[in-house]
Amino acid sequence: AGPTLKYLIIRNNIAAWNGGGLGIKGIYEQTDKLTKIINCLFYDNQADRGQAIYSEDYTGLQIIQSTFFNNTVVDSFSNFYEYTINGTNNIFWGNDNILQGSSNFSFSYSNIQGGWEGEGNIDADPLFVDAANGDYHLSDYSPAIGAGTAAGAPPTDLDGNPRPNTNPDM
């Protein structure tokens, strides 16, 4: 297995050239192993030019139960290189140009602004408690509550709280 990033918060990262604006270039890998991102929060990151996530690993990236909010790629020309990316129970909201550049993306049970084809996906404001002040927990009225799938979901959330066995939050 390749590297697994778990329970991380990556914010205010800036990459001037060739991506990594979400902090992934910092672990720049050249492996033939699947990389996993589980229960992570990425917000207020920026790549001035290139890819949001850059890697020369063609085996793929799996994103599970993670939130991407207010991240930007200013001059995008292929955001995820030629990565194969699949994910479940994620939220991609308020971002600019981070899901661009490849047709090798597959998401399910995820809340993706602008919509995304896939089982259980929605396109609805996630209604964070207070995003302006860094609280990305889901409010009681969030459409992402109970809208995920238990298949492959980690047993706890980013705060370490147990997830239900059925219909976890995105």
Side-chain angles (χ1 to χ4, degrees), residues 24-101:
I24 303 303
K25 188 159 183 162
I27 60 155
Y28 183 90
E29 62 168 312
Q30 290 180 300
T31 71
D32 60 355
K33 310 277 193 269
L34 177 69
T35 300
K36 293 182 181 182
I37 295 175
I38 302 171
N39 274 339
C40 293
L41 170 62
F42 295 81
Y43 69 97
D44 294 339
N45 298 295
Q46 177 180 321
D48 288 340
R49 182 167 181 194
Q51 300 85 19
I53 295 176
Y54 178 85
S55 177
E56 291 182 13
D57 171 8
Y58 293 93
T59 61
L61 173 67
Q62 189 172 36
I63 304 172
I64 302 166
Q65 214 82 45
S66 295
T67 297
F68 295 78
F69 178 78
N70 200 35
N71 300 288
T72 302
V73 177
V74 176
D75 183 11
S76 168
F77 56 83
S78 175
N79 275 331
F80 285 98
Y81 207 44
E82 286 303 318
Y83 244 147
T84 296
I85 298 177
N86 66 69
T88 354
N89 297 347
N90 297 297
I91 297 175
F92 288 88
W93 203 263
N95 301 294
D96 188 18
N97 288 332
I98 71 164
L99 291 178
Q100 305 284 328

Side-chain angles (χ1 to χ4, degrees), residues 65 89 91 109 111 122 124-129 136-149 163-164 166-170:
Q65 214 82 45
N89 297 347
I91 297 175
Y109 297 95
N111 187 357
I122 62 172
D125 186 336
L127 301 176
F128 296 120
V129 170
Y136 297 100
H137 292 92
L138 300 175
S139 72
D140 292 340
Y141 304 103
S142 173
I145 290 179
T149 178
R163 291 198 188 282
T166 58
N167 298 333
D169 300 341
M170 291 180 171

